């Protein structure tokens, strides 16, 4: 019997370790930063150590630690020279920050549909979205899998565009032996507590190879100031923000970074083990990893396919809801992530922006911008069918191991094979509830 119907759950409470994976060395690093925190000064040593370590890890010589991945992306947009009315291409299926960072520069996000296999921006559709206003492309390494950077780089170079990597979900992954964080002109990465490189709280990393871009990004980080030498002149050259990272968050992230290669290897092994264990279970489609790329499974995305069970009369949405309810009841954390493409969100449908329709109505943008969800059919289909494992609630990171992944697969086998009739009945109830 399904647990949702009163049966015994497959995974007992507490059997899956949460993320991040915290060791005594992480605690020691935070306590050490606490001891160094007075007298207050900027930048503090743990912040500099994090920046230096990320530079060494990625090979990007110029790094700034920020208080979020959103801040790091905004810094990259500004460092790319994006100005009011300029346009930046963004994948339609991503987290809001990939697009809102463009709005923060008073510029216009222009969305591009995604690939059904990789969930990442589709390079074949990029050219048709480029206009005379386009200044940059944001490529998101969604779920933990790098985008197609060779194809995107060819387009960016040919068109003279900056290629900005949103590496928020993929620290530790690689693209043709190159690390995430070093795949674009610049990169912005999140250190949110759930991420594969975690600050436990919030944090971000900006990285570039160009000293001038670094200088521009640093202005945005700290009140628009130039920060000459070792002191401050308290003279804002541009509109800047306070994007400084918390020193304790920086110390925790720096400690975690020492173990990132090994933790990433475990994530790759766990993802491969889960995919193998799910082989042959109908009704769901596991993720794929293109040759030459590695995946670190911040999310392990699954697409539900009621057609695989011959349920042509059950709406996809009802089947997805039934799978989610049933799997969660068996003790496996699963959820729906991003229920609609970003351009379908209210912000882009109503074009209110940050007041009076800006930046679309501020006089610098070309007229006629509108966001039509039907222009992104693949992203819409992914959002309609997607459920995800991973993050903090069903982590593929250590200390969870391939045995844990087989237990995850046992849940799906029970729900979709052993108790299929009960799942179908639940899906039909979900369909009736939605009417």
């Amino acid at each position: 019997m399904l647990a949702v119907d009163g049966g015994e759950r497959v995974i007992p409470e507490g059997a899956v370790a949460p993320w991040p994976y915290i060791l005594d060395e992480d605690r020691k690093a935070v306590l050490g930063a606490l001891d160094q925190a007075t007298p207050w000064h900027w930048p503090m040593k743990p912040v500099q150590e994090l920046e230096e370590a990320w530079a060494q890890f990625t090979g990007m010589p110029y790094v700034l630690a920020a208080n979020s991945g959103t801040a790091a992306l905004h810094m990259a947009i500004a460092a790319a020279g994006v100005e009011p009315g300029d346009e930046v291409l963004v994948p339609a299926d991503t987290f809001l920050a990939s697009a809102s960072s463009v709005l923060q520069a008073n510029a216009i996000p222009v969305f591009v549909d995604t690939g059904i296999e990789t969930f990442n921006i589709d390079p074949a559709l990029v050219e048709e979205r480029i206009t005379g206003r386009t200044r940059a492309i944001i490529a998101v390494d969604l779920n933990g899998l790098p985008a197609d950077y060779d194809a995107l780089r060819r387009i960016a170079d040919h068109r003279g565009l900056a290629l900005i990597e949103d590496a928020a979900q993929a620290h530790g992954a690689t693209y043709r032996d190159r690390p995430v964080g070093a795949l674009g002109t610049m990169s912005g990465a999140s250190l949110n507590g759930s991420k594969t490189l975690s600050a436990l709280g919030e944090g971000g990393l900006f990285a570039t190879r160009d000293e001038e871009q670094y200088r521009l990004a640093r202005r945005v980080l700290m009140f628009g100031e130039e920060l000459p030498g070792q002191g401050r002149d308290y003279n804002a050259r541009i509109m800047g923000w306070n994007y400084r990272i918390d020193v304790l968050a920086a110390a925790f992230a720096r400690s975690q970074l020492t173990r990132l290669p090994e933790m990433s290897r475990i994530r790759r092994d766990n993802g491969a083990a889960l995919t193998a264990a799910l082989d042959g279970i109908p009704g769901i489609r596991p993720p794929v990893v293109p040759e030459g790329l590695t995946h670190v499974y911040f999310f392990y995305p699954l697409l539900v396919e009621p057609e695989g069970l011959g349920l042509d009369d059950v709406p996809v949405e009802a089947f997805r809801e039934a799978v989610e309810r049933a799997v969660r009841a068996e003790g496996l954390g699963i959820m729906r992530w991003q229920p609609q493409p970003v351009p379908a969100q209210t912000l882009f449908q109503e074009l209110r922006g940050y007041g009076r329709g800006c930046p679309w109505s501020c006089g610098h943008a070309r007229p006629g911008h509108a966001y039509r969800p039907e222009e992104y059919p693949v992203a819409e289909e992914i959002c309609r069918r997607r459920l995800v494992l991973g993050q903090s609630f069903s982590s593929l990171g250590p200390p969870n191991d391939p045995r844990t992944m087989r237990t995850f697969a046992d849940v799906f086998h029970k729900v979709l094979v052993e108790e299929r009739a009960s799942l179908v009945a639940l899906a039909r109830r979900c369909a009736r509830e939605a009417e």
Side-chain angles (χ1 to χ4, degrees):
M1 180 185 295
L2 289 174
V4 74
D5 293 329
E8 185 177 353
R9 55 192 273 178
V10 173
I11 301 179
E13 181 127 16
V16 179
W19 183 262
Y21 182 36
I22 302 173
L23 300 181
D24 284 343
E25 58 204 76
D26 303 316
R27 299 181 178 92
K28 186 181 296 185
V30 173
L31 289 174
L34 185 63
D35 291 339
Q36 299 174 43
T38 56
W40 196 94
H41 58 93
W42 188 264
M44 294 187 183
K45 184 179 178 182
V47 175
Q48 293 176 310
E49 290 176 343
L50 173 61
E51 291 171 343
E52 291 166 1
W54 189 243
Q56 182 176 5
F57 186 87
T58 59
M60 298 284 264
Y62 301 103
V63 172
L64 290 165
N67 59 16
S68 69
T70 306
L73 284 175
H74 180 202
M75 290 157 61
I77 292 290
V82 174
E83 295 191 336
D86 288 345
E87 297 173 4
V88 178
L89 304 189
V90 182
D93 182 29
T94 184
F95 180 66
L96 174 67
S98 306
S100 63
S101 61
V102 179
L103 298 178
Q104 286 175 272
N106 207 15
I108 309 298
V110 173
F111 293 97
V112 181
D113 208 359
T114 47
I116 193 68
E117 293 289 335
T118 66
F119 300 83
N120 286 326
I121 190 169
D122 187 344
L125 302 177
V126 167
E127 288 273 8
E128 65 189 45
R129 293 289 178 171
I130 295 174
T131 72
R133 301 288 188 95
T134 308
R135 296 292 175 266
I137 302 169
I138 293 179
V140 181
D141 306 322
L142 202 66
N143 302 313
L145 180 71
D148 187 350
Y149 283 93
D150 285 350
L152 293 169
R153 171 59 69 190
R154 285 192 292 271
I155 297 169
D157 288 349
H158 176 67
R159 294 286 196 153
L161 306 176
L163 178 57
I164 298 171
E165 179 184 12
D166 180 346
Q169 298 184 357
H171 327 71
T174 58
Y175 179 89
R176 307 195 189 288
D177 298 322
R178 288 174 281 162
V180 155
L183 301 174
T185 311
M186 289 171 278
S187 65
S190 170
L191 300 175
N192 170 272
S194 65
K195 296 301 194 294
T196 56
L197 178 60
S198 171
L200 192 59
E202 297 287 346
L205 291 164
F206 163 88
T208 180
R209 296 181 181 85
D210 185 274
E211 186 174 7
E212 178 64 12
Q213 291 173 347
Y214 169 78
R215 186 177 69 83
L216 293 172
R218 191 171 59 177
R219 283 181 175 180
V220 178
L221 173 82
M222 194 160 171
F223 305 107
E225 296 176 22
E226 192 63 42
L227 301 180
Q230 296 300 311
R232 294 176 62 182
D233 64 359
Y234 293 92
N235 179 25
R237 273 76 169 179
I238 63 168
M239 179 66 194
W241 281 257
N242 179 4
Y243 280 163
R244 294 174 295 193
I245 191 172
D246 178 83
V247 64
L248 303 185
F252 185 86
R254 172 67 187 95
S255 180
Q256 290 270 304
L257 182 52
T258 63
R259 303 196 305 279
L260 182 60
E262 176 61 13
M263 294 192 296
S264 299
R265 182 194 63 77
I266 292 170
R267 285 179 170 275
R268 293 193 297 270
D269 290 348
N270 282 344
L274 180 54
T275 298
L278 292 175
D279 185 43
I281 297 179
I284 51 172
R285 185 198 304 180
V288 300
V289 183
E291 186 177 355
L293 281 62
T294 64
H295 201 314
V296 291
Y297 302 101
F298 169 71
F299 282 134
Y300 186 95
L302 292 160
L303 299 183
V304 300
E305 296 180 326
E307 305 90 338
L309 299 178
L311 300 177
D312 296 329
D313 62 328
V314 175
V316 168
E317 294 82 358
F319 184 72
R320 184 201 63 234
E321 176 72 16
V323 172
E324 182 181 3
R325 288 190 198 178
V327 168
R328 188 182 295 127
E330 298 296 338
L332 179 56
I334 193 169
M335 72 173 189
R336 196 176 177 202
W337 185 75
Q338 298 301 316
Q340 57 193 349
V342 175
Q345 293 187 26
T346 302
L347 169 62
F348 297 100
Q349 290 301 295
E350 297 185 355
L351 297 181
R352 292 183 181 180
Y354 46 84
R356 297 181 177 176
C358 289
W360 298 279
S361 63
C362 287
H364 297 289
R366 62 181 172 90
H369 279 285
Y371 297 98
R372 302 175 182 86
E374 64 270 16
E375 293 181 3
Y376 318 100
V378 175
E380 279 202 311
E381 190 67 4
I382 289 171
C383 292
R384 193 165 73 103
R385 293 177 179 268
R386 177 174 51 205
L387 293 170
V388 296
L389 307 173
Q391 207 186 43
S392 297
F393 50 86
S394 50
S395 170
L396 273 72
N400 298 318
D401 59 20
R403 288 174 297 180
T404 313
M405 300 302 107
R406 286 192 289 273
T407 305
F408 287 8
D410 289 343
V411 169
F412 288 99
H413 192 271
K414 176 181 177 180
V415 167
L416 290 160
V417 178
E418 299 169 23
E419 300 290 342
R420 183 179 302 171
S422 297
L423 177 70
V424 172
L426 176 59
R428 297 193 191 286
R429 291 202 301 274
C430 290
R432 290 195 295 272
E433 290 170 5
E435 290 177 353

